[in-house]
PDB file of all heavy atoms in Angstrom:
ATOM      1  N   GLN A 603    -119.968 -44.244 -26.458  1.00  0.00           N
ATOM      2  CA  GLN A 603    -120.002 -43.074 -25.440  1.00  0.00           C
ATOM      3  C   GLN A 603    -120.951 -42.012 -25.811  1.00  0.00           C
ATOM      4  O   GLN A 603    -121.173 -41.107 -25.009  1.00  0.00           O
ATOM      5  CB  GLN A 603    -118.609 -42.334 -25.686  1.00  0.00           C
ATOM      6  CG  GLN A 603    -117.432 -43.056 -25.205  1.00  0.00           C
ATOM      7  CD  GLN A 603    -116.214 -42.039 -25.452  1.00  0.00           C
ATOM      8  OE1 GLN A 603    -116.009 -41.687 -26.407  1.00  0.00           O
ATOM      9  NE2 GLN A 603    -115.490 -41.886 -24.482  1.00  0.00           N
ATOM     10  N   ILE A 604    -121.534 -42.148 -26.995  1.00  0.00           N
ATOM     11  CA  ILE A 604    -122.473 -41.074 -27.534  1.00  0.00           C
ATOM     12  C   ILE A 604    -123.753 -41.062 -26.690  1.00  0.00           C
ATOM     13  O   ILE A 604    -124.361 -42.164 -26.614  1.00  0.00           O
ATOM     14  CB  ILE A 604    -122.651 -41.174 -29.054  1.00  0.00           C
ATOM     15  CG1 ILE A 604    -121.304 -41.091 -29.721  1.00  0.00           C
ATOM     16  CG2 ILE A 604    -123.573 -40.129 -29.544  1.00  0.00           C
ATOM     17  CD1 ILE A 604    -121.411 -41.534 -31.229  1.00  0.00           C
ATOM     18  N   PRO A 605    -124.248 -39.937 -26.302  1.00  0.00           N
ATOM     19  CA  PRO A 605    -123.581 -38.597 -26.417  1.00  0.00           C
ATOM     20  C   PRO A 605    -122.456 -38.245 -25.510  1.00  0.00           C
ATOM     21  O   PRO A 605    -122.679 -38.624 -24.364  1.00  0.00           O
ATOM     22  CB  PRO A 605    -124.914 -37.649 -26.157  1.00  0.00           C
ATOM     23  CG  PRO A 605    -125.629 -38.486 -25.242  1.00  0.00           C
ATOM     24  CD  PRO A 605    -125.514 -39.932 -25.592  1.00  0.00           C
ATOM     25  N   VAL A 606    -121.475 -37.719 -26.052  1.00  0.00           N
ATOM     26  CA  VAL A 606    -120.362 -37.339 -25.150  1.00  0.00           C
ATOM     27  C   VAL A 606    -120.082 -35.864 -25.409  1.00  0.00           C
ATOM     28  O   VAL A 606    -120.070 -35.383 -26.580  1.00  0.00           O
ATOM     29  CB  VAL A 606    -119.168 -38.171 -25.577  1.00  0.00           C
ATOM     30  CG1 VAL A 606    -118.720 -38.144 -26.969  1.00  0.00           C
ATOM     31  CG2 VAL A 606    -117.981 -37.731 -24.572  1.00  0.00           C
ATOM     32  N   TYR A 607    -120.188 -34.982 -24.448  1.00  0.00           N
ATOM     33  CA  TYR A 607    -120.079 -33.502 -24.609  1.00  0.00           C
ATOM     34  C   TYR A 607    -119.540 -33.037 -23.184  1.00  0.00           C
ATOM     35  O   TYR A 607    -119.594 -33.611 -22.157  1.00  0.00           O
ATOM     36  CB  TYR A 607    -121.390 -32.885 -24.773  1.00  0.00           C
ATOM     37  CG  TYR A 607    -122.622 -33.286 -24.014  1.00  0.00           C
ATOM     38  CD1 TYR A 607    -122.737 -32.697 -22.665  1.00  0.00           C
ATOM     39  CD2 TYR A 607    -123.317 -34.526 -24.339  1.00  0.00           C
ATOM     40  CE1 TYR A 607    -123.785 -33.179 -21.921  1.00  0.00           C
ATOM     41  CE2 TYR A 607    -124.355 -34.887 -23.385  1.00  0.00           C
ATOM     42  CZ  TYR A 607    -124.510 -34.215 -22.248  1.00  0.00           C
ATOM     43  OH  TYR A 607    -125.518 -34.653 -21.446  1.00  0.00           O
ATOM     44  N   TYR A 608    -118.787 -31.776 -23.410  1.00  0.00           N
ATOM     45  CA  TYR A 608    -117.948 -31.331 -22.260  1.00  0.00           C
ATOM     46  C   TYR A 608    -118.777 -30.750 -21.146  1.00  0.00           C
ATOM     47  O   TYR A 608    -118.334 -30.780 -19.960  1.00  0.00           O
ATOM     48  CB  TYR A 608    -116.951 -30.258 -22.868  1.00  0.00           C
ATOM     49  CG  TYR A 608    -117.600 -28.929 -22.835  1.00  0.00           C
ATOM     50  CD1 TYR A 608    -117.503 -28.048 -21.884  1.00  0.00           C
ATOM     51  CD2 TYR A 608    -118.387 -28.501 -23.967  1.00  0.00           C
ATOM     52  CE1 TYR A 608    -118.086 -26.828 -21.813  1.00  0.00           C
ATOM     53  CE2 TYR A 608    -119.017 -27.236 -24.045  1.00  0.00           C
ATOM     54  CZ  TYR A 608    -118.815 -26.379 -22.948  1.00  0.00           C
ATOM     55  OH  TYR A 608    -119.436 -25.084 -22.925  1.00  0.00           O
ATOM     56  N   ASN A 609    -119.999 -30.130 -21.359  1.00  0.00           N
ATOM     57  CA  ASN A 609    -120.875 -29.627 -20.379  1.00  0.00           C
ATOM     58  C   ASN A 609    -121.721 -30.525 -19.629  1.00  0.00           C
ATOM     59  O   ASN A 609    -122.933 -30.212 -19.482  1.00  0.00           O
ATOM     60  CB  ASN A 609    -121.529 -28.349 -20.930  1.00  0.00           C
ATOM     61  CG  ASN A 609    -122.091 -28.514 -22.245  1.00  0.00           C
ATOM     62  OD1 ASN A 609    -122.097 -29.570 -22.840  1.00  0.00           O
ATOM     63  ND2 ASN A 609    -122.843 -27.588 -22.763  1.00  0.00           N
ATOM     64  N   TYR A 610    -121.205 -31.688 -19.186  1.00  0.00           N
ATOM     65  CA  TYR A 610    -122.048 -32.705 -18.570  1.00  0.00           C
ATOM     66  C   TYR A 610    -122.278 -32.292 -17.026  1.00  0.00           C
ATOM     67  O   TYR A 610    -121.532 -31.433 -16.614  1.00  0.00           O
ATOM     68  CB  TYR A 610    -121.444 -33.965 -18.753  1.00  0.00           C
ATOM     69  CG  TYR A 610    -120.032 -34.243 -18.219  1.00  0.00           C
ATOM     70  CD1 TYR A 610    -119.839 -34.508 -16.928  1.00  0.00           C
ATOM     71  CD2 TYR A 610    -118.963 -33.920 -19.107  1.00  0.00           C
ATOM     72  CE1 TYR A 610    -118.439 -34.507 -16.428  1.00  0.00           C
ATOM     73  CE2 TYR A 610    -117.629 -34.018 -18.634  1.00  0.00           C
ATOM     74  CZ  TYR A 610    -117.436 -34.419 -17.335  1.00  0.00           C
ATOM     75  OH  TYR A 610    -116.046 -34.298 -16.885  1.00  0.00           O
ATOM     76  N   LYS A 611    -123.112 -33.105 -16.554  1.00  0.00           N
ATOM     77  CA  LYS A 611    -123.290 -32.878 -14.915  1.00  0.00           C
ATOM     78  C   LYS A 611    -122.410 -33.791 -14.210  1.00  0.00           C
ATOM     79  O   LYS A 611    -121.912 -34.813 -14.647  1.00  0.00           O
ATOM     80  CB  LYS A 611    -124.710 -33.277 -14.489  1.00  0.00           C
ATOM     81  CG  LYS A 611    -125.768 -32.352 -15.229  1.00  0.00           C
ATOM     82  CD  LYS A 611    -125.822 -30.995 -14.634  1.00  0.00           C
ATOM     83  CE  LYS A 611    -127.023 -30.174 -15.091  1.00  0.00           C
ATOM     84  NZ  LYS A 611    -128.332 -30.506 -14.598  1.00  0.00           N
ATOM     85  N   ASN A 612    -122.008 -33.427 -12.999  1.00  0.00           N
ATOM     86  CA  ASN A 612    -120.952 -34.120 -12.198  1.00  0.00           C
ATOM     87  C   ASN A 612    -121.400 -35.449 -11.714  1.00  0.00           C
ATOM     88  O   ASN A 612    -120.648 -36.380 -11.520  1.00  0.00           O
ATOM     89  CB  ASN A 612    -120.654 -33.265 -10.963  1.00  0.00           C
ATOM     90  CG  ASN A 612    -119.138 -33.685 -10.594  1.00  0.00           C
ATOM     91  OD1 ASN A 612    -118.296 -33.970 -11.410  1.00  0.00           O
ATOM     92  ND2 ASN A 612    -118.978 -33.615  -9.169  1.00  0.00           N
ATOM     93  N   THR A 613    -122.739 -35.621 -11.359  1.00  0.00           N
ATOM     94  CA  THR A 613    -123.408 -36.886 -10.805  1.00  0.00           C
ATOM     95  C   THR A 613    -123.077 -36.908  -9.369  1.00  0.00           C
ATOM     96  O   THR A 613    -122.092 -36.184  -8.894  1.00  0.00           O
ATOM     97  CB  THR A 613    -123.003 -38.240 -11.425  1.00  0.00           C
ATOM     98  OG1 THR A 613    -121.730 -38.618 -10.995  1.00  0.00           O
ATOM     99  CG2 THR A 613    -123.089 -38.123 -12.984  1.00  0.00           C
ATOM    100  N   GLY A 614    -123.636 -37.870  -8.628  1.00  0.00           N
ATOM    101  CA  GLY A 614    -123.235 -38.104  -7.178  1.00  0.00           C
ATOM    102  C   GLY A 614    -121.989 -38.893  -7.142  1.00  0.00           C
ATOM    103  O   GLY A 614    -121.358 -38.995  -5.984  1.00  0.00           O
ATOM    104  N   ARG A 615    -121.629 -39.535  -8.205  1.00  0.00           N
ATOM    105  CA  ARG A 615    -120.497 -40.450  -8.003  1.00  0.00           C
ATOM    106  C   ARG A 615    -119.567 -40.268  -9.198  1.00  0.00           C
ATOM    107  O   ARG A 615    -119.346 -40.989 -10.053  1.00  0.00           O
ATOM    108  CB  ARG A 615    -120.858 -41.880  -8.001  1.00  0.00           C
ATOM    109  CG  ARG A 615    -121.649 -42.292  -6.875  1.00  0.00           C
ATOM    110  CD  ARG A 615    -121.893 -43.861  -6.706  1.00  0.00           C
ATOM    111  NE  ARG A 615    -122.487 -44.054  -5.541  1.00  0.00           N
ATOM    112  CZ  ARG A 615    -122.697 -45.261  -5.165  1.00  0.00           C
ATOM    113  NH1 ARG A 615    -122.369 -46.412  -5.785  1.00  0.00           N
ATOM    114  NH2 ARG A 615    -123.371 -45.471  -3.958  1.00  0.00           N
TER     115      ARG A 615
END
Side-chain angles (χ1 to χ4, degrees):
Q603 290 182 305
I604 297 170
V606 56
Y607 47 90
Y608 84 95
N609 46 356
Y610 56 87
K611 299 283 186 79
N612 206 33
T613 80
R615 293 189 178 187

